[in-house]
Structure formats: C-alpha cells, structure tokens
Amino acid sequence: MTAPVEHRISEKNSDFLTFLQPVQNRDEAMHWVEQYRNRYRDAIHVCWAFVIGHTRQPEAQAFSDDGEPSGTAEL
C-alpha cells in the first residue's frame, strides 16, 4: 500500500470508521493510532492492527480490540 485509505459505514445507529496507513515500524503505527484517538475523541472503541513486512512472514504484528468482543481486531 502506498497511499492512505479511509472508509466509513453506518450500521444500527453506529458509525464504523476504517483507516489504512502505510507504516515502516511499530512507532509509526502507534503514532497513527494516537492521531485517530485524538481526532475522534468521542469514539467508544479504537481497534487497531498492524503488520510490518510481508504478511506471510511479518517482521512484526500486533492488534487491540480496545474492549470489543474478543477477536474483533485480530489479524
């Protein structure tokens, strides 16, 4: 991926926002998570995930469901 992507969908009176950002490392990924937390302060959950490197053999990967049901943000 070379460019950011944003998407919004509304379902059952809730808005679900998706943001994809190209990143090179965990610090950069977490920077974007904080940017979106600050931008959408009224969001109840900010689920996130990242994969650094090739998806078949990633250098690093992590995720957080941020209180959503288990596995929501799982890679």
Side-chain angles (χ1 to χ4, degrees):
M1 182 175 77
T2 58
V5 175
E6 295 188 10
H7 181 71
R8 175 188 295 247
I9 187 170
S10 294
E11 182 76 28
K12 299 181 182 175
N13 297 321
S14 293
D15 289 326
F16 296 88
L17 305 150
T18 303
F19 303 97
L20 303 174
Q21 291 286 347
V23 297
Q24 297 296 316
N25 55 55
R26 179 184 176 84
D27 289 342
E28 200 175 333
M30 298 315 296
H31 165 80
W32 282 109
V33 171
E34 288 308 310
Q35 291 295 311
Y36 289 117
R37 279 189 197 280
N38 290 332
R39 184 172 167 188
Y40 297 99
R41 291 188 183 273
D42 60 338
I44 297 170
H45 301 282
V46 178
C47 300
W48 57 265
F50 69 80
V51 175
I52 306 297
H54 194 279
T55 56
R56 291 187 184 168
Q57 293 180 327
E59 298 169 33
Q61 61 183 355
F63 69 91
S64 170
D65 291 332
D66 194 29
E68 285 286 337
S70 180
T72 301
E74 191 170 328
L75 299 174

Coordinates of all heavy atoms in Angstrom, one line a residue:
M1 N 0.9 -1.2 0.0 CA 0.0 0.0 0.0 C 0.9 1.2 0.0 O 1.8 1.3 0.8 CB -0.9 0.0 1.2 CG -1.9 1.1 1.3 SD -3.0 1.1 2.6 CE -2.0 1.6 4.0
T2 N 0.6 2.2 -0.8 CA 1.4 3.4 -0.9 C 0.7 4.7 -0.5 O 1.3 5.7 -0.3 CB 1.9 3.6 -2.3 OG1 0.8 3.7 -3.2 CG2 2.8 2.4 -2.7
A3 N -0.6 4.6 -0.4 CA -1.4 5.8 0.0 C -2.4 5.4 1.1 O -2.9 4.3 1.2 CB -2.1 6.3 -1.2
P4 N -2.7 6.4 1.9 CA -3.7 6.2 3.0 C -5.1 5.9 2.4 O -5.4 6.4 1.3 CB -3.7 7.5 3.8 CG -2.5 8.2 3.4 CD -2.1 7.7 2.0
V5 N -5.9 5.2 3.1 CA -7.3 4.8 2.7 C -8.2 5.1 3.9 O -7.9 4.8 5.0 CB -7.4 3.4 2.3 CG1 -8.9 3.0 2.0 CG2 -6.5 3.1 1.1
E6 N -9.4 5.7 3.7 CA -10.4 6.0 4.7 C -11.7 5.5 4.2 O -12.0 5.6 3.0 CB -10.5 7.5 5.1 CG -9.2 8.0 5.7 CD -9.4 9.4 6.2 OE1 -10.5 9.9 6.3 OE2 -8.4 10.0 6.5
H7 N -12.5 4.9 5.1 CA -13.8 4.3 4.8 C -14.7 4.5 6.0 O -14.3 4.3 7.1 CB -13.7 2.9 4.4 CG -15.0 2.3 4.0 ND1 -15.6 2.6 2.8 CD2 -15.8 1.4 4.6 CE1 -16.8 2.0 2.7 NE2 -16.9 1.2 3.8
R8 N -16.0 4.8 5.7 CA -17.0 4.9 6.8 C -18.2 4.1 6.4 O -18.6 4.2 5.3 CB -17.4 6.4 7.0 CG -18.5 6.6 8.1 CD -19.0 8.0 8.1 NE -17.9 8.8 8.6 CZ -17.9 9.5 9.7 NH1 -18.9 9.4 10.5 NH2 -16.9 10.3 10.1
I9 N -18.8 3.4 7.4 CA -20.0 2.7 7.2 C -20.9 2.9 8.4 O -20.4 2.9 9.5 CB -19.8 1.2 6.9 CG1 -21.1 0.5 6.5 CG2 -19.1 0.5 8.0 CD1 -21.0 -0.9 5.9
S10 N -22.2 3.1 8.2 CA -23.1 3.2 9.3 C -23.9 1.9 9.4 O -24.5 1.4 8.4 CB -24.0 4.4 9.2 OG -23.2 5.6 9.2
E11 N -24.1 1.4 10.6 CA -24.8 0.1 10.8 C -25.5 0.2 12.2 O -24.8 0.4 13.2 CB -23.8 -1.1 10.8 CG -24.5 -2.4 11.0 CD -25.2 -2.9 9.7 OE1 -24.8 -2.5 8.6 OE2 -26.2 -3.6 9.9
K12 N -26.8 0.1 12.2 CA -27.6 0.0 13.5 C -27.2 1.2 14.4 O -26.8 1.1 15.6 CB -27.3 -1.3 14.2 CG -27.8 -2.5 13.5 CD -27.6 -3.7 14.2 CE -28.0 -4.9 13.4 NZ -27.7 -6.2 14.1
N13 N -27.3 2.4 13.8 CA -27.0 3.7 14.6 C -25.6 3.8 15.1 O -25.4 4.6 16.0 CB -28.0 3.9 15.7 CG -29.5 4.0 15.2 OD1 -29.7 4.6 14.2 ND2 -30.4 3.4 16.0
S14 N -24.7 3.1 14.5 CA -23.3 3.2 14.8 C -22.5 3.5 13.6 O -22.8 3.0 12.5 CB -22.7 2.0 15.5 OG -23.3 1.7 16.7
D15 N -21.4 4.4 13.7 CA -20.5 4.6 12.6 C -19.3 3.8 12.8 O -18.7 3.8 13.9 CB -20.2 6.1 12.5 CG -21.3 7.0 12.1 OD1 -22.1 6.5 11.2 OD2 -21.4 8.1 12.5
F16 N -18.8 3.2 11.8 CA -17.6 2.4 11.8 C -16.6 3.0 10.8 O -16.9 3.1 9.6 CB -17.8 0.9 11.4 CG -18.7 0.2 12.4 CD1 -20.1 0.2 12.3 CD2 -18.2 -0.4 13.5 CE1 -20.9 -0.4 13.2 CE2 -19.0 -1.1 14.4 CZ -20.4 -1.1 14.3
L17 N -15.5 3.5 11.3 CA -14.5 4.2 10.5 C -13.3 3.3 10.3 O -12.8 2.7 11.3 CB -14.1 5.5 11.2 CG -15.2 6.4 11.5 CD1 -14.9 7.2 12.7 CD2 -15.5 7.3 10.3
T18 N -12.8 3.2 9.1 CA -11.6 2.4 8.9 C -10.5 3.3 8.2 O -10.8 4.1 7.4 CB -11.9 1.3 7.9 OG1 -13.0 0.5 8.4 CG2 -10.7 0.4 7.6
F19 N -9.3 3.2 8.8 CA -8.2 3.9 8.2 C -7.0 3.0 8.0 O -6.7 2.2 8.9 CB -7.7 5.0 9.3 CG -8.8 5.9 9.6 CD1 -9.6 5.7 10.8 CD2 -9.2 7.0 8.8 CE1 -10.6 6.6 11.2 CE2 -10.2 7.8 9.2 CZ -10.9 7.6 10.3
L20 N -6.5 3.0 6.8 CA -5.3 2.3 6.5 C -4.2 3.3 6.2 O -4.3 4.2 5.4 CB -5.5 1.4 5.2 CG -6.7 0.4 5.3 CD1 -6.9 -0.3 4.0 CD2 -6.4 -0.6 6.4
Q21 N -3.0 3.0 6.8 CA -1.9 3.9 6.7 C -0.6 3.1 6.4 O -0.4 2.1 7.1 CB -1.6 4.7 8.0 CG -2.6 5.8 8.3 CD -2.5 7.0 7.4 OE1 -1.6 7.2 6.6 NE2 -3.6 7.8 7.4
P22 N 0.1 3.4 5.4 CA 1.4 2.7 5.2 C 2.4 3.1 6.3 O 2.5 4.3 6.6 CB 1.9 3.2 3.8 CG 1.2 4.5 3.6 CD -0.1 4.4 4.4
V23 N 3.0 2.1 6.9 CA 4.0 2.4 8.0 C 5.2 1.5 7.8 O 5.1 0.5 7.2 CB 3.3 2.2 9.4 CG1 2.2 3.2 9.7 CG2 2.9 0.8 9.6
Q24 N 6.3 1.9 8.5 CA 7.5 1.2 8.4 C 7.9 0.5 9.7 O 8.7 -0.5 9.7 CB 8.7 2.1 8.0 CG 8.5 2.7 6.6 CD 8.5 1.7 5.5 OE1 9.4 0.8 5.5 NE2 7.6 1.8 4.6
N25 N 7.3 0.9 10.8 CA 7.6 0.3 12.1 C 6.5 0.5 13.1 O 5.5 1.2 12.8 CB 8.9 0.9 12.6 CG 8.9 2.4 12.7 OD1 8.0 3.0 13.3 ND2 9.8 3.1 12.1
R26 N 6.6 -0.1 14.3 CA 5.6 -0.1 15.3 C 5.4 1.4 15.8 O 4.2 1.8 16.0 CB 6.0 -1.0 16.5 CG 5.0 -0.9 17.6 CD 5.5 -1.7 18.8 NE 4.5 -1.6 19.9 CZ 3.4 -2.3 20.1 NH1 3.1 -3.2 19.2 NH2 2.6 -2.1 21.1
D27 N 6.4 2.1 16.0 CA 6.3 3.5 16.5 C 5.4 4.3 15.5 O 4.6 5.1 16.0 CB 7.7 4.2 16.7 CG 8.4 3.6 17.9 OD1 7.8 3.0 18.7 OD2 9.6 3.8 17.9
E28 N 5.7 4.2 14.3 CA 4.9 4.9 13.3 C 3.4 4.5 13.3 O 2.5 5.3 13.3 CB 5.5 4.7 11.9 CG 5.1 5.7 10.9 CD 5.8 5.5 9.6 OE1 6.9 4.9 9.5 OE2 5.2 5.9 8.5
A29 N 3.2 3.2 13.5 CA 1.8 2.7 13.5 C 1.1 3.2 14.8 O -0.1 3.7 14.7 CB 1.8 1.1 13.6
M30 N 1.8 3.2 15.9 CA 1.2 3.7 17.1 C 0.9 5.2 17.1 O 0.0 5.7 17.7 CB 2.0 3.3 18.4 CG 2.1 1.8 18.5 SD 0.5 0.9 18.3 CE -0.4 1.5 19.7
H31 N 1.8 5.9 16.4 CA 1.6 7.3 16.2 C 0.2 7.6 15.5 O -0.5 8.5 15.9 CB 2.7 7.9 15.3 CG 2.4 9.3 14.8 ND1 2.6 10.4 15.5 CD2 2.0 9.7 13.5 CE1 2.2 11.5 14.8 NE2 1.8 11.0 13.6
W32 N -0.1 6.8 14.4 CA -1.4 7.0 13.8 C -2.5 6.6 14.7 O -3.6 7.3 14.6 CB -1.4 6.1 12.5 CG -0.6 6.8 11.4 CD1 0.6 6.5 10.9 CD2 -1.0 8.0 10.7 NE1 1.0 7.4 9.9 CE2 0.0 8.3 9.8 CE3 -2.1 8.9 10.8 CZ2 -0.1 9.5 9.0 CZ3 -2.2 10.0 10.0 CH2 -1.2 10.3 9.1
V33 N -2.4 5.6 15.5 CA -3.4 5.2 16.4 C -3.7 6.4 17.3 O -4.9 6.8 17.5 CB -3.1 4.0 17.3 CG1 -4.1 3.7 18.4 CG2 -3.0 2.7 16.4
E34 N -2.7 7.0 17.9 CA -2.9 8.2 18.7 C -3.5 9.4 18.0 O -4.4 10.1 18.5 CB -1.6 8.6 19.4 CG -1.2 7.6 20.5 CD -2.3 7.3 21.5 OE1 -2.9 8.3 22.0 OE2 -2.6 6.2 21.8
Q35 N -3.1 9.6 16.7 CA -3.7 10.6 15.9 C -5.2 10.4 15.7 O -6.0 11.4 15.9 CB -3.0 10.7 14.5 CG -1.6 11.1 14.5 CD -1.5 12.6 15.0 OE1 -2.1 13.5 14.5 NE2 -0.6 12.8 16.0
Y36 N -5.6 9.2 15.5 CA -7.1 8.9 15.3 C -7.8 9.0 16.6 O -9.0 9.5 16.7 CB -7.3 7.6 14.6 CG -6.9 7.7 13.1 CD1 -5.9 6.9 12.6 CD2 -7.5 8.6 12.3 CE1 -5.5 7.1 11.3 CE2 -7.1 8.7 10.9 CZ -6.1 8.0 10.5 OH -5.7 8.1 9.1
R37 N -7.2 8.6 17.7 CA -7.8 8.7 19.0 C -8.1 10.2 19.3 O -9.2 10.5 19.9 CB -6.9 8.1 20.1 CG -7.0 6.7 20.3 CD -6.2 6.3 21.6 NE -5.9 4.9 21.6 CZ -6.7 3.9 21.9 NH1 -8.0 4.2 22.3 NH2 -6.4 2.7 21.9
N38 N -7.1 11.0 19.0 CA -7.3 12.5 19.3 C -8.3 13.1 18.3 O -9.1 14.0 18.7 CB -5.9 13.2 19.1 CG -5.0 12.8 20.3 OD1 -5.4 12.5 21.4 ND2 -3.7 12.9 20.0
R39 N -8.3 12.6 17.1 CA -9.2 13.2 16.1 C -10.7 12.8 16.4 O -11.6 13.6 16.2 CB -8.8 12.7 14.7 CG -9.6 13.2 13.6 CD -9.0 12.8 12.3 NE -9.9 13.0 11.2 CZ -9.6 12.6 9.9 NH1 -8.6 11.9 9.7 NH2 -10.5 12.8 9.0
Y40 N -10.9 11.6 16.9 CA -12.2 11.1 17.2 C -12.4 10.8 18.7 O -12.5 9.7 19.1 CB -12.5 9.8 16.4 CG -12.5 10.1 14.9 CD1 -11.4 9.9 14.2 CD2 -13.6 10.7 14.3 CE1 -11.4 10.2 12.8 CE2 -13.6 11.0 13.0 CZ -12.5 10.7 12.2 OH -12.5 11.0 10.9
R41 N -12.3 11.8 19.5 CA -12.3 11.7 21.0 C -13.6 11.1 21.5 O -13.6 10.5 22.6 CB -12.1 13.0 21.6 CG -10.7 13.6 21.4 CD -10.4 14.8 22.3 NE -9.1 15.4 22.0 CZ -8.0 15.0 22.7 NH1 -8.1 14.1 23.6 NH2 -6.9 15.5 22.4
D42 N -14.7 11.2 20.8 CA -15.9 10.6 21.2 C -16.1 9.1 20.9 O -17.1 8.5 21.2 CB -17.1 11.4 20.7 CG -17.2 11.5 19.2 OD1 -16.1 11.2 18.5 OD2 -18.3 11.7 18.7
A43 N -15.1 8.5 20.2 CA -15.1 7.1 19.8 C -15.1 6.3 21.1 O -14.3 6.5 22.0 CB -14.0 6.8 18.9
I44 N -16.0 5.3 21.2 CA -16.0 4.4 22.3 C -14.9 3.4 22.2 O -14.3 3.1 23.2 CB -17.4 3.7 22.4 CG1 -18.5 4.8 22.7 CG2 -17.4 2.7 23.5 CD1 -19.9 4.3 22.5
H45 N -14.6 2.9 21.0 CA -13.6 1.9 20.8 C -12.7 2.3 19.7 O -13.2 2.8 18.7 CB -14.1 0.5 20.5 CG -15.0 0.0 21.6 ND1 -14.6 -0.6 22.7 CD2 -16.4 -0.1 21.6 CE1 -15.6 -1.0 23.5 NE2 -16.7 -0.7 22.8
V46 N -11.4 2.2 19.8 CA -10.4 2.4 18.8 C -9.6 1.1 18.6 O -8.6 0.9 19.3 CB -9.5 3.6 19.0 CG1 -8.5 3.8 17.9 CG2 -10.3 4.9 19.3
C47 N -10.2 0.2 17.8 CA -9.5 -1.0 17.5 C -8.4 -0.8 16.4 O -8.6 0.0 15.5 CB -10.5 -2.1 16.9 SG -11.8 -2.4 18.0
W48 N -7.3 -1.5 16.6 CA -6.2 -1.2 15.6 C -5.4 -2.5 15.4 O -5.5 -3.5 16.2 CB -5.2 -0.1 16.1 CG -4.7 -0.4 17.5 CD1 -5.1 0.1 18.6 CD2 -3.5 -1.1 17.8 NE1 -4.3 -0.3 19.7 CE2 -3.3 -1.1 19.2 CE3 -2.6 -1.9 17.0 CZ2 -2.3 -1.7 19.8 CZ3 -1.5 -2.5 17.7 CH2 -1.4 -2.4 19.1
A49 N -4.7 -2.6 14.3 CA -3.9 -3.7 14.0 C -2.8 -3.2 13.0 O -3.0 -2.3 12.3 CB -4.7 -4.8 13.3
F50 N -1.6 -3.8 13.1 CA -0.6 -3.5 12.1 C 0.2 -4.8 11.8 O 0.3 -5.7 12.6 CB 0.3 -2.4 12.5 CG 1.2 -2.7 13.7 CD1 2.4 -3.4 13.5 CD2 0.9 -2.3 15.0 CE1 3.3 -3.7 14.6 CE2 1.8 -2.6 16.0 CZ 2.9 -3.3 15.8
V51 N 0.7 -4.8 10.5 CA 1.6 -5.8 10.1 C 2.8 -5.1 9.4 O 2.6 -4.3 8.5 CB 0.9 -6.8 9.0 CG1 1.9 -7.7 8.5 CG2 -0.2 -7.5 9.6
I52 N 4.0 -5.4 9.9 CA 5.2 -4.8 9.3 C 5.9 -5.9 8.5 O 6.2 -6.9 9.1 CB 6.1 -4.2 10.4 CG1 5.4 -3.2 11.3 CG2 7.4 -3.6 9.8 CD1 4.9 -2.0 10.7
G53 N 6.2 -5.6 7.3 CA 6.8 -6.6 6.4 C 5.8 -7.4 5.6 O 4.6 -7.0 5.5
H54 N 6.3 -8.4 5.0 CA 5.4 -9.3 4.2 C 4.4 -10.0 5.1 O 4.7 -10.5 6.2 CB 6.3 -10.3 3.5 CG 5.6 -11.0 2.4 ND1 4.7 -12.1 2.6 CD2 5.6 -10.8 1.1 CE1 4.2 -12.5 1.5 NE2 4.7 -11.8 0.5
T55 N 3.2 -10.1 4.7 CA 2.1 -10.7 5.5 C 2.3 -12.2 5.8 O 1.8 -12.7 6.8 CB 0.7 -10.5 4.9 OG1 0.7 -11.0 3.6 CG2 0.3 -9.0 4.9
R56 N 3.0 -12.9 4.9 CA 3.2 -14.3 5.1 C 4.3 -14.6 6.2 O 4.3 -15.6 6.9 CB 3.6 -15.0 3.8 CG 2.4 -15.0 2.9 CD 2.7 -15.9 1.7 NE 1.5 -15.8 0.8 CZ 1.5 -16.2 -0.4 NH1 2.6 -16.7 -1.0 NH2 0.5 -16.1 -1.2
Q57 N 5.3 -13.7 6.3 CA 6.4 -13.8 7.3 C 6.6 -12.4 7.8 O 7.7 -11.8 7.5 CB 7.6 -14.4 6.7 CG 7.4 -15.8 6.3 CD 8.7 -16.4 5.7 OE1 9.5 -15.7 5.0 NE2 8.9 -17.7 5.9
P58 N 5.7 -11.8 8.6 CA 5.9 -10.4 9.0 C 7.0 -10.3 10.0 O 7.4 -11.2 10.8 CB 4.6 -10.1 9.7 CG 4.0 -11.4 10.1 CD 4.5 -12.4 9.1
E59 N 7.7 -9.1 9.9 CA 8.7 -8.7 10.9 C 8.1 -8.5 12.3 O 8.6 -8.8 13.3 CB 9.4 -7.5 10.4 CG 10.2 -7.7 9.1 CD 10.6 -6.4 8.6 OE1 11.0 -5.5 9.3 OE2 10.7 -6.2 7.3
A60 N 6.9 -7.9 12.3 CA 6.2 -7.5 13.5 C 4.7 -7.4 13.2 O 4.3 -7.0 12.1 CB 6.7 -6.2 14.1
Q61 N 3.9 -7.8 14.1 CA 2.4 -7.6 14.0 C 1.8 -7.5 15.4 O 2.3 -8.1 16.4 CB 1.8 -8.7 13.2 CG 1.9 -10.1 13.8 CD 1.3 -11.2 12.9 OE1 0.7 -10.9 11.9 NE2 1.5 -12.4 13.3
A62 N 0.7 -6.8 15.5 CA 0.0 -6.6 16.8 C -1.4 -6.1 16.5 O -1.7 -5.6 15.4 CB 0.8 -5.7 17.7
F63 N -2.3 -6.3 17.5 CA -3.6 -5.7 17.4 C -4.2 -5.5 18.8 O -3.7 -6.0 19.8 CB -4.5 -6.7 16.6 CG -4.8 -8.0 17.4 CD1 -5.9 -8.1 18.2 CD2 -4.0 -9.1 17.3 CE1 -6.2 -9.2 18.9 CE2 -4.2 -10.3 17.9 CZ -5.3 -10.3 18.8
S64 N -5.3 -4.7 18.8 CA -6.0 -4.4 20.0 C -7.5 -4.3 19.7 O -7.9 -3.6 18.8 CB -5.6 -3.1 20.7 OG -6.4 -2.8 21.7
D65 N -8.3 -5.0 20.5 CA -9.8 -5.0 20.3 C -10.3 -3.8 21.1 O -11.5 -3.5 20.9 CB -10.4 -6.3 20.8 CG -10.1 -7.5 19.9 OD1 -9.9 -7.3 18.7 OD2 -10.1 -8.6 20.5
D66 N -9.6 -3.2 21.9 CA -10.0 -2.0 22.7 C -11.4 -2.2 23.3 O -12.2 -1.3 23.3 CB -10.0 -0.7 21.8 CG -10.0 0.5 22.6 OD1 -9.6 0.5 23.8 OD2 -10.6 1.5 22.1
G67 N -11.6 -3.3 24.0 CA -12.8 -3.6 24.7 C -13.9 -4.2 23.8 O -15.0 -4.5 24.4
E68 N -13.7 -4.3 22.6 CA -14.7 -5.0 21.7 C -14.7 -6.5 22.0 O -13.8 -7.0 22.7 CB -14.4 -4.7 20.2 CG -14.8 -3.4 19.8 CD -16.2 -3.1 19.6 OE1 -17.0 -4.1 19.4 OE2 -16.7 -2.0 19.7
P69 N -15.7 -7.2 21.5 CA -15.6 -8.7 21.7 C -14.3 -9.3 21.2 O -13.8 -8.8 20.3 CB -16.8 -9.2 20.9 CG -17.8 -8.0 20.8 CD -16.9 -6.8 20.8
S70 N -13.9 -10.3 21.9 CA -12.6 -10.9 21.6 C -12.5 -11.3 20.1 O -13.4 -11.9 19.6 CB -12.4 -12.2 22.5 OG -11.2 -12.8 22.2
G71 N -11.3 -11.0 19.6 CA -11.0 -11.3 18.2 C -11.5 -10.3 17.1 O -11.2 -10.5 16.0
T72 N -12.1 -9.2 17.6 CA -12.6 -8.2 16.6 C -11.6 -7.7 15.7 O -11.7 -7.5 14.5 CB -13.3 -7.1 17.4 OG1 -14.4 -7.6 18.1 CG2 -13.9 -6.1 16.4
A73 N -10.4 -7.3 16.3 CA -9.3 -6.7 15.5 C -8.2 -7.7 15.2 O -7.2 -7.3 14.8 CB -8.8 -5.5 16.3
E74 N -8.5 -9.0 15.4 CA -7.5 -10.0 15.2 C -7.0 -10.0 13.7 O -7.8 -9.9 12.8 CB -8.0 -11.3 15.6 CG -6.9 -12.4 15.7 CD -7.5 -13.7 16.3 OE1 -8.4 -13.6 17.2 OE2 -7.0 -14.7 15.9
L75 N -5.7 -10.2 13.5 CA -5.1 -10.3 12.2 C -5.5 -11.6 11.5 O -5.6 -12.6 12.1 CB -3.6 -10.2 12.3 CG -3.1 -8.8 12.8 CD1 -1.6 -8.9 13.0 CD2 -3.5 -7.7 11.9

